[in-house]
């Protein structure tokens, strides 16, 4: 730890996320006068355009816009962008020239571009060592470097990034070690059942299953003094040398020396700068202790080649967990046994073998830079943000993040070409964002979201995320259900290179399943902290495809060009898909959200969540104490924030009101079962309402499509209805925020979507309720049921009027 930094204990910090500001409703009379004035003005403007017969004259038809964009994509510039981006290391906060290059590129494409700086707590690698000792003498020293490959320039040079785990603690420990499988809660539970403790030992865990930082957290919580994470060939879908596959660069299998770097932040507890929970890391802000969301123990990542001599020493010591836990008692699908050649998966420890693990990183508070480019739309109160990060773990980073960086530039180029060739002005404002520090903990996007929370919540319609945009030929996506229909209908408009439509491919590959957002990329702050509907998508590798050399030197330009996307066909397809999605959501008069997809998903998640409720709860009465806990939960709050850029964020519309509805007080003998029924009924009613609402929106859109045929009175009516419905659509996701946040991780405020607390990457639906059930906590379950029920009621009420 750098001694210059002074931290205050976490709990003493002002938490901006609890800052509250109730917005004032205009008084009834003022509201009516305002409305009359507005109607008169609108009538006048509608009349003047109407009387001149020019209503649509400044508008470029959406099909023309789409055509011009697809025409621009007939040129494929991915190779150029990817070569540039993979030419130098881009560890967060270290490569300002590349940041300027990206800003200049956006400017060149006609975007108003800015660089936004934050001061963020970071760790950088300094030195590390790992040795194996038997009877106190060193028998093996792990090299901790990856092989230089002649074919691949990104693997050599004096600018290679060391193998390390961001935010890992500093230390030099010598201890026994044991194998803890994936390091999940279930794995540690099995070890505990067998009476094996990791206390005072070094935990060796393989990558996979859950987010790496949580593995370290779970080991540290159980007293481990250090941790090692390695890539096991058993997690390579059979693409292994044992099965006859050659390793990179000669074939599709993982290079044996490949090391997965990464952050060990406790992602599902707090993303963003660990020292500024819930508020932005701008100069001079108070800082708190980072250990709420980062480990204290030293950790190192290893290749499977380097871990082999270490794990081999455990052969025959301690049980093989899969052999001693009878299959019928094994509730977890994760077997302990992997496929590391030479290791029998005995967990250890070997009393004669110890490890010396030394890791030193330099911690400091340092500038990080986001880059934004914007095109102002006709309506500057409605903004679409498309983002991808620019920092990487290595010199190359062709897949992560630069497949996304390259596609983002293609989007900029395409939109520019549309504007230049057709004179188009987008209906809504379009903002491109290139985030810094995603790899260390979603830093740039989270700080931005915290800095501008209030304004973003008032203006942003949707957020589109790219990260690993293309590392194979298979499309997958995670999204808010509001965006499902938009996504599917856009896929249907594109062709898949191997035949059929992109939608047909997607159905075949995923079973038409768009998954829920969890965490692990920059959409997190938008969806789960601010309630802005988001989508994350990418072409991934699947069973049978070349193994993704994730966060290793071999995620390089050479690997991408030779194995993952020769000819950059799928990068090009992603550029088309992204552009069409942006155009569709920008140009549709009525915001393209399908509410019924949301409500039917809610019913599904709810049924699933309550299936775990213990039957003994059903008859249990909900006491006054429970009611006290939930009293006053429904203030209509938005967080505050000061800001000057960008321009279109300076004035803000008022959020549509999704305030509380008058609630009926519960009678004395309300049982938990009654509450369950009531929540379920509210969700069913919501489904009925959304179905009707979607129809009403379609009708308005249809009228807008036939604008010229409407009378002036009809025009006025349709104009106001469209405005009213769009406001409801725009803010509906916000209505699902609970501003006090989830229990014990209050940064996460969405009542439906959060990163799983024990998984990190994988999403959890109705997290508050599920966690209460998991923890066998009746009072909390009551609280969350009530929140769910009331939220459904208020949304239902607001959509019905
Ligand atoms: C970096 O590592 C070296 C070698 O272990 C050590 O001597 C030095 O103090 C470290 N630097 C910092 C700033 O901690
Ligand atoms: C360690 O020392 C013990 C006792 O002297 C001896 O039995 C054992 O073989 C030694 N182990 C190794 C790996 O050298
Ligand atoms: C770490 O500890 C080992 C064993 O005590 C020692 O040999 C080594 O010099 C230490 N390394 C550093 C950099 O302090
Ligand atoms: C939903 O609509 C159906 C059909 O109109 C109706 O039968 C049902 O009672 C409604 N359910 C709720 C909960 O309002």
């Amino acid at each position: 730890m750098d001694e210059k930094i002074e931290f205050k204990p976490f709990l003493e910090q002002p938490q901006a996320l609890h800052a509250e500001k109730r917005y004032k409703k205009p008084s009834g009379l003022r509201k009516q006068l305002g409305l009359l004035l507005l109607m008169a003005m609108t009538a006048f403007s509608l009349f003047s355009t109407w009387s001149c017969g020019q209503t649509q004259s400044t508008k470029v038809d959406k099909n023309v816009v789409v055509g011009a964009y697809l025409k621009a994509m007939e040129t494929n510039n991915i190779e150029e962008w990817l070569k540039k981006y993979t030419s130098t290391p881009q560890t967060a906060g270290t490569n300002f020239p590349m940041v300027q290059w990206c800003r200049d590129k956006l400017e060149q494409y006609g975007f108003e571009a800015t660089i936004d700086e934050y001061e963020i707590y970071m760790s950088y690698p300094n030195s590390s060592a790992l040795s194996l000792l038997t009877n106190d003498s060193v028998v093996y020293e792990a090299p901790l470097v990856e092989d230089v490959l002649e074919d691949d320039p990104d693997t050599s040079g004096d600018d290679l990034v060391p193998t390390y785990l961001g935010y890992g603690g500093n230390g030099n420990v010598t201890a026994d070690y044991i194998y803890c499988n994936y390091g999940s809660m279930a794995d540690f539970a099995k070890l505990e059942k067998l009476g094996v403790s990791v206390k005072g030992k070094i935990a060796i865990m393989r990558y996979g299953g859950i987010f790496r930082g949580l593995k370290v957290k779970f080991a540290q919580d159980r007293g481990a003094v250090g941790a090692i994470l390695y890539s096991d060939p058993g997690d390579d879908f059979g693409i292994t040398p044992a099965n006859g596959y050659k390793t990179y660069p000669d074939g599709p299998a993982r290079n044996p020396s490949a090391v997965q770097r990464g952050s060990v932040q406790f992602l599902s507890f707090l993303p963003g700068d660990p020292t500024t929970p819930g508020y932005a890391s701008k100069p001079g802000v108070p800082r708190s202790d980072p250990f709420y969301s980062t480990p204290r123990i030293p950790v190192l990542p290893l290749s499977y080649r380097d871990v082999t001599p270490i794990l081999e020493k455990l052969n025959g010591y301690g049980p093989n967990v899969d052999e001693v836990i009878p299959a019928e008692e094994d509730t977890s699908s994760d077997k302990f046994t992997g496929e590391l050649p030479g290791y029998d998966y005995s967990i250890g420890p070997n009393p004669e073998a110890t490890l010396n693990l030394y890791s030193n990183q330099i911690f400091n508070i340092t500038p990080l830079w986001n880059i934004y480019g914007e095109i102002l739309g006709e309506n500057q109160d409605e903004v679409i943000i498309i983002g991808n990060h620019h920092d990487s773990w290595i010199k190359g980073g062709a897949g992560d993040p630069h497949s996304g960086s390259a596609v983002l530039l293609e989007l900029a180029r395409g939109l520019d070409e549309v504007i230049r060739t057709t004179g188009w002005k987008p209906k809504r404002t379009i903002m491109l964002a290139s985030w810094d520090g995603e790899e260390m903990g979603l830093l740039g996007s989270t700080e931005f979201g915290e800095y501008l929370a209030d304004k973003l919540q008032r203006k942003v319609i949707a957020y589109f995320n790219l990260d690993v945009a293309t590392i194979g030929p298979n499309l997958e996506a995670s999204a808010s259900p509001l965006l499902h229909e938009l996504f599917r209908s856009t896929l249907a408009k594109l062709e898949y290179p191997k035949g059929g439509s992109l939608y047909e491919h997607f159905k075949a590959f995923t079973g038409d399943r768009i998954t829920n957002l969890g965490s692990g990329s920059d959409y997190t702050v938008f969806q789960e902290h601010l309630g802005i509907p988001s989508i994350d998508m990418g072409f991934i590798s699947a069973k049978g495809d070349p193994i993704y050399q994730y966060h290793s030197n071999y995620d390089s330009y050479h690997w991408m060009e030779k194995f993952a996307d020769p000819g950059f066909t799928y990068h090009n397809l992603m550029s088309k898909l992204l552009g069409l999605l942006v155009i569709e959501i920008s140009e549709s008069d009525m915001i393209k959200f399908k509410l019924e997809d949301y409500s039917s998903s809610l019913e599904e998640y709810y049924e699933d969540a309550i299936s775990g409720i213990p039957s003994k709860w059903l008859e249990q009465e909900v006491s006054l104490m429970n009611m006290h806990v939930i009293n006053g939960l429904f203030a209509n709050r938005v967080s505050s924030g000061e800001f000057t850029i960008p321009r279109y964020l300076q004035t803000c519309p008022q959020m549509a009101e999704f305030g509380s509805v008058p609630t009926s007080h519960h009678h004395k003998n309300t049982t938990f079962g009654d509450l369950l029924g009531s929540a379920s009924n509210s969700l069913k009613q919501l489904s009925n309402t959304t179905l009707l609402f979607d129809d009403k929106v379609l009708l308005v859109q249809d009228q807008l499509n036939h604008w010229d045929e409407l009378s002036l009175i009809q025009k006025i009516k349709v104009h106001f209805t469209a405005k009213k419905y769009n406001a409801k659509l725009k803010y509906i996701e916000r209505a699902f925020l609970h501003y006090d946040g989830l229990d014990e991780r209050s940064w996460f405020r969405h009542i439906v979507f959060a990163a799983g607390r024990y998984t990190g990457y994988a999403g959890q639906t109705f997290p508050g309720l599920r966690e209460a059930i998991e923890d066998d906590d009746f009072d909390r379950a009551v609280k969350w049921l009530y929140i769910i029920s009331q939220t459904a009621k208020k949304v239902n009420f607001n959509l019905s009027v």
Side-chain angles (χ1 to χ4, degrees), residues 199-213:
K199 192 160 196 262
K201 302 189 182 75
I202 292 170
I204 301 190
M205 298 169 281
R206 56 166 154 162
Y207 277 118
I210 63 170
F211 182 72
R212 70 181 86 67

PDB file of all heavy atoms in Angstrom, residues 199-213:
ATOM      1  N   LYS A 199      -7.725 -22.458   6.238  1.00  0.00           N
ATOM      2  CA  LYS A 199      -7.164 -21.476   7.168  1.00  0.00           C
ATOM      3  C   LYS A 199      -5.640 -21.622   7.271  1.00  0.00           C
ATOM      4  O   LYS A 199      -5.121 -22.722   7.449  1.00  0.00           O
ATOM      5  CB  LYS A 199      -7.789 -21.682   8.545  1.00  0.00           C
ATOM      6  CG  LYS A 199      -7.516 -20.574   9.502  1.00  0.00           C
ATOM      7  CD  LYS A 199      -8.529 -20.565  10.648  1.00  0.00           C
ATOM      8  CE  LYS A 199      -8.460 -19.238  11.356  1.00  0.00           C
ATOM      9  NZ  LYS A 199      -7.725 -19.102  12.502  1.00  0.00           N
ATOM     10  N   GLY A 200      -4.960 -20.499   7.123  1.00  0.00           N
ATOM     11  CA  GLY A 200      -3.503 -20.501   7.228  1.00  0.00           C
ATOM     12  C   GLY A 200      -2.801 -21.085   6.012  1.00  0.00           C
ATOM     13  O   GLY A 200      -1.575 -21.207   5.994  1.00  0.00           O
ATOM     14  N   LYS A 201      -3.575 -21.484   4.991  1.00  0.00           N
ATOM     15  CA  LYS A 201      -2.976 -22.113   3.814  1.00  0.00           C
ATOM     16  C   LYS A 201      -3.124 -21.227   2.578  1.00  0.00           C
ATOM     17  O   LYS A 201      -3.816 -20.219   2.587  1.00  0.00           O
ATOM     18  CB  LYS A 201      -3.671 -23.459   3.534  1.00  0.00           C
ATOM     19  CG  LYS A 201      -3.609 -24.460   4.675  1.00  0.00           C
ATOM     20  CD  LYS A 201      -4.119 -25.812   4.208  1.00  0.00           C
ATOM     21  CE  LYS A 201      -4.129 -26.831   5.341  1.00  0.00           C
ATOM     22  NZ  LYS A 201      -5.233 -26.634   6.299  1.00  0.00           N
ATOM     23  N   ILE A 202      -2.467 -21.686   1.522  1.00  0.00           N
ATOM     24  CA  ILE A 202      -2.654 -21.048   0.223  1.00  0.00           C
ATOM     25  C   ILE A 202      -3.681 -21.866  -0.548  1.00  0.00           C
ATOM     26  O   ILE A 202      -3.569 -23.100  -0.618  1.00  0.00           O
ATOM     27  CB  ILE A 202      -1.311 -20.963  -0.539  1.00  0.00           C
ATOM     28  CG1 ILE A 202      -0.378 -19.967   0.184  1.00  0.00           C
ATOM     29  CG2 ILE A 202      -1.532 -20.556  -1.994  1.00  0.00           C
ATOM     30  CD1 ILE A 202       1.058 -19.978  -0.320  1.00  0.00           C
ATOM     31  N   ALA A 203      -4.696 -21.196  -1.089  1.00  0.00           N
ATOM     32  CA  ALA A 203      -5.760 -21.886  -1.834  1.00  0.00           C
ATOM     33  C   ALA A 203      -5.412 -21.878  -3.317  1.00  0.00           C
ATOM     34  O   ALA A 203      -5.179 -20.806  -3.885  1.00  0.00           O
ATOM     35  CB  ALA A 203      -7.096 -21.189  -1.611  1.00  0.00           C
ATOM     36  N   ILE A 204      -5.358 -23.067  -3.911  1.00  0.00           N
ATOM     37  CA  ILE A 204      -5.166 -23.127  -5.363  1.00  0.00           C
ATOM     38  C   ILE A 204      -6.520 -23.418  -5.996  1.00  0.00           C
ATOM     39  O   ILE A 204      -7.176 -24.406  -5.648  1.00  0.00           O
ATOM     40  CB  ILE A 204      -4.146 -24.209  -5.757  1.00  0.00           C
ATOM     41  CG1 ILE A 204      -2.805 -23.910  -5.070  1.00  0.00           C
ATOM     42  CG2 ILE A 204      -3.974 -24.259  -7.270  1.00  0.00           C
ATOM     43  CD1 ILE A 204      -1.653 -24.758  -5.549  1.00  0.00           C
ATOM     44  N   MET A 205      -6.936 -22.545  -6.881  1.00  0.00           N
ATOM     45  CA  MET A 205      -8.278 -22.692  -7.479  1.00  0.00           C
ATOM     46  C   MET A 205      -8.177 -22.562  -8.987  1.00  0.00           C
ATOM     47  O   MET A 205      -7.348 -21.808  -9.496  1.00  0.00           O
ATOM     48  CB  MET A 205      -9.203 -21.607  -6.915  1.00  0.00           C
ATOM     49  CG  MET A 205      -9.384 -21.732  -5.417  1.00  0.00           C
ATOM     50  SD  MET A 205     -10.210 -20.323  -4.643  1.00  0.00           S
ATOM     51  CE  MET A 205      -8.902 -19.113  -4.508  1.00  0.00           C
ATOM     52  N   ARG A 206      -9.027 -23.316  -9.660  1.00  0.00           N
ATOM     53  CA  ARG A 206      -9.015 -23.185 -11.114  1.00  0.00           C
ATOM     54  C   ARG A 206     -10.025 -22.127 -11.553  1.00  0.00           C
ATOM     55  O   ARG A 206     -11.014 -21.865 -10.866  1.00  0.00           O
ATOM     56  CB  ARG A 206      -9.294 -24.524 -11.788  1.00  0.00           C
ATOM     57  CG  ARG A 206     -10.576 -25.219 -11.405  1.00  0.00           C
ATOM     58  CD  ARG A 206     -10.837 -26.342 -12.408  1.00  0.00           C
ATOM     59  NE  ARG A 206     -11.645 -27.431 -11.875  1.00  0.00           N
ATOM     60  CZ  ARG A 206     -12.272 -28.310 -12.645  1.00  0.00           C
ATOM     61  NH1 ARG A 206     -12.198 -28.213 -13.958  1.00  0.00           N
ATOM     62  NH2 ARG A 206     -12.979 -29.274 -12.107  1.00  0.00           N
ATOM     63  N   TYR A 207      -9.735 -21.508 -12.708  1.00  0.00           N
ATOM     64  CA  TYR A 207     -10.664 -20.552 -13.282  1.00  0.00           C
ATOM     65  C   TYR A 207     -11.935 -21.264 -13.718  1.00  0.00           C
ATOM     66  O   TYR A 207     -11.925 -22.446 -14.042  1.00  0.00           O
ATOM     67  CB  TYR A 207     -10.033 -19.881 -14.514  1.00  0.00           C
ATOM     68  CG  TYR A 207      -9.140 -18.721 -14.162  1.00  0.00           C
ATOM     69  CD1 TYR A 207      -7.782 -18.735 -14.470  1.00  0.00           C
ATOM     70  CD2 TYR A 207      -9.668 -17.600 -13.536  1.00  0.00           C
ATOM     71  CE1 TYR A 207      -6.973 -17.652 -14.166  1.00  0.00           C
ATOM     72  CE2 TYR A 207      -8.853 -16.522 -13.227  1.00  0.00           C
ATOM     73  CZ  TYR A 207      -7.517 -16.546 -13.543  1.00  0.00           C
ATOM     74  OH  TYR A 207      -6.724 -15.474 -13.244  1.00  0.00           O
ATOM     75  N   GLY A 208     -13.012 -20.502 -13.788  1.00  0.00           N
ATOM     76  CA  GLY A 208     -14.266 -21.040 -14.312  1.00  0.00           C
ATOM     77  C   GLY A 208     -15.391 -20.905 -13.308  1.00  0.00           C
ATOM     78  O   GLY A 208     -15.156 -20.741 -12.108  1.00  0.00           O
ATOM     79  N   GLY A 209     -16.606 -20.943 -13.798  1.00  0.00           N
ATOM     80  CA  GLY A 209     -17.788 -20.906 -12.938  1.00  0.00           C
ATOM     81  C   GLY A 209     -18.124 -19.506 -12.471  1.00  0.00           C
ATOM     82  O   GLY A 209     -19.053 -18.892 -12.970  1.00  0.00           O
ATOM     83  N   ILE A 210     -17.348 -18.992 -11.530  1.00  0.00           N
ATOM     84  CA  ILE A 210     -17.702 -17.703 -10.932  1.00  0.00           C
ATOM     85  C   ILE A 210     -16.617 -16.668 -11.205  1.00  0.00           C
ATOM     86  O   ILE A 210     -15.517 -17.010 -11.640  1.00  0.00           O
ATOM     87  CB  ILE A 210     -17.932 -17.841  -9.411  1.00  0.00           C
ATOM     88  CG1 ILE A 210     -16.636 -18.290  -8.711  1.00  0.00           C
ATOM     89  CG2 ILE A 210     -19.056 -18.826  -9.128  1.00  0.00           C
ATOM     90  CD1 ILE A 210     -16.716 -18.216  -7.198  1.00  0.00           C
ATOM     91  N   PHE A 211     -16.906 -15.415 -10.911  1.00  0.00           N
ATOM     92  CA  PHE A 211     -15.942 -14.330 -11.114  1.00  0.00           C
ATOM     93  C   PHE A 211     -14.720 -14.537 -10.206  1.00  0.00           C
ATOM     94  O   PHE A 211     -14.869 -14.835  -9.029  1.00  0.00           O
ATOM     95  CB  PHE A 211     -16.603 -12.978 -10.824  1.00  0.00           C
ATOM     96  CG  PHE A 211     -15.674 -11.823 -11.059  1.00  0.00           C
ATOM     97  CD1 PHE A 211     -15.340 -11.462 -12.353  1.00  0.00           C
ATOM     98  CD2 PHE A 211     -15.109 -11.134 -10.000  1.00  0.00           C
ATOM     99  CE1 PHE A 211     -14.452 -10.415 -12.582  1.00  0.00           C
ATOM    100  CE2 PHE A 211     -14.225 -10.088 -10.216  1.00  0.00           C
ATOM    101  CZ  PHE A 211     -13.898  -9.730 -11.521  1.00  0.00           C
ATOM    102  N   ARG A 212     -13.527 -14.317 -10.767  1.00  0.00           N
ATOM    103  CA  ARG A 212     -12.291 -14.686 -10.057  1.00  0.00           C
ATOM    104  C   ARG A 212     -12.115 -13.983  -8.714  1.00  0.00           C
ATOM    105  O   ARG A 212     -11.579 -14.557  -7.763  1.00  0.00           O
ATOM    106  CB  ARG A 212     -11.069 -14.478 -10.949  1.00  0.00           C
ATOM    107  CG  ARG A 212     -10.700 -13.080 -11.258  1.00  0.00           C
ATOM    108  CD  ARG A 212      -9.480 -13.003 -12.160  1.00  0.00           C
ATOM    109  NE  ARG A 212      -9.849 -13.102 -13.564  1.00  0.00           N
ATOM    110  CZ  ARG A 212     -10.546 -12.181 -14.237  1.00  0.00           C
ATOM    111  NH1 ARG A 212     -10.967 -11.086 -13.607  1.00  0.00           N
ATOM    112  NH2 ARG A 212     -10.838 -12.329 -15.495  1.00  0.00           N
ATOM    113  N   GLY A 213     -12.592 -12.721  -8.627  1.00  0.00           N
ATOM    114  CA  GLY A 213     -12.417 -11.988  -7.364  1.00  0.00           C
ATOM    115  C   GLY A 213     -13.195 -12.630  -6.218  1.00  0.00           C
ATOM    116  O   GLY A 213     -12.777 -12.576  -5.056  1.00  0.00           O
TER     117      GLY A 213
END
